[in-house]
Every structure is written in structure tokens, then in C-alpha cells.
Amino acid sequence: MEAKAHLKYLRVSPRKVKILCDLIRGKDVKTASAYLMQTPKAASEPVLKLLRSAIANAENNNAMDAEKLYVSTAVANPGPVLKRGMPRAQGRYTRILKRTTHITIGVSEKA
């Protein structure tokens, strides 16, 4: 049984969030949360909050033991891109892409 938590439309590039997902995937939840607390990345705070939400879902909705949980899935998928622009020299215009991310974290019990 797997308990999941989702975060949608995070205003951080998926490329930056995937680094954190790869860091915590397969680790037990205590180690994963310690890694996220000590990592100096902008996305580490929302990912840590999402991990805590997944742990709470596992305890409250699925009656799992928090001591036996590990991060079974951690996925960062691209969301919609906000297209903005910036005026440049000689009347030109440059497109700026503000990317968003959908994150899913799943936790399971070790057998």
C-alpha cells in the first residue's frame, strides 16, 4: 500500500526539482527529511512540506507506522509554462518562460 501527496503548479523549474526527487527516492523518511532540511535549494522547502504531508496521509488515512516508512516514489513533472516577455535593444522583444512543476511523493512501509 502506498500513500501519496501531490503538489501542483509550483513555480520552480522541473529540472531543479528532479535533483531533489532523485536525492530522496528510496530513502527512509527520516533520512529524506534530514537531507531536505540541509539542502540549500529553493525547492527543498516545498518538497519537505509535501513529504510531511505524504507521511501524515500514510498515518491517518492508511494506518501505517511512521517508523517503517520510506519514499517509494518521487516524481517531478512539468506543468504549464507562463509565457512572459522583456523588451530588448532596438525594439526587439525576448520571450521569458516561467516554468511550473507538478510533484508527486509516495511513501510505503518496509516489509
Side-chain angles (χ1 to χ4, degrees), residues 1 6-7 48 53 56 97:
M1 187 79 180
H6 303 280
L7 173 62
L48 178 63
S53 175
L97 301 176

Side-chain angles (χ1 to χ4, degrees), residues 17-18 21 25 73-77 101-105:
V17 179
K18 282 180 184 179
C21 289
R25 192 179 302 114
T73 59
V75 181
N77 294 320
T101 307
H102 299 323
I103 309 170
T104 301
I105 293 182

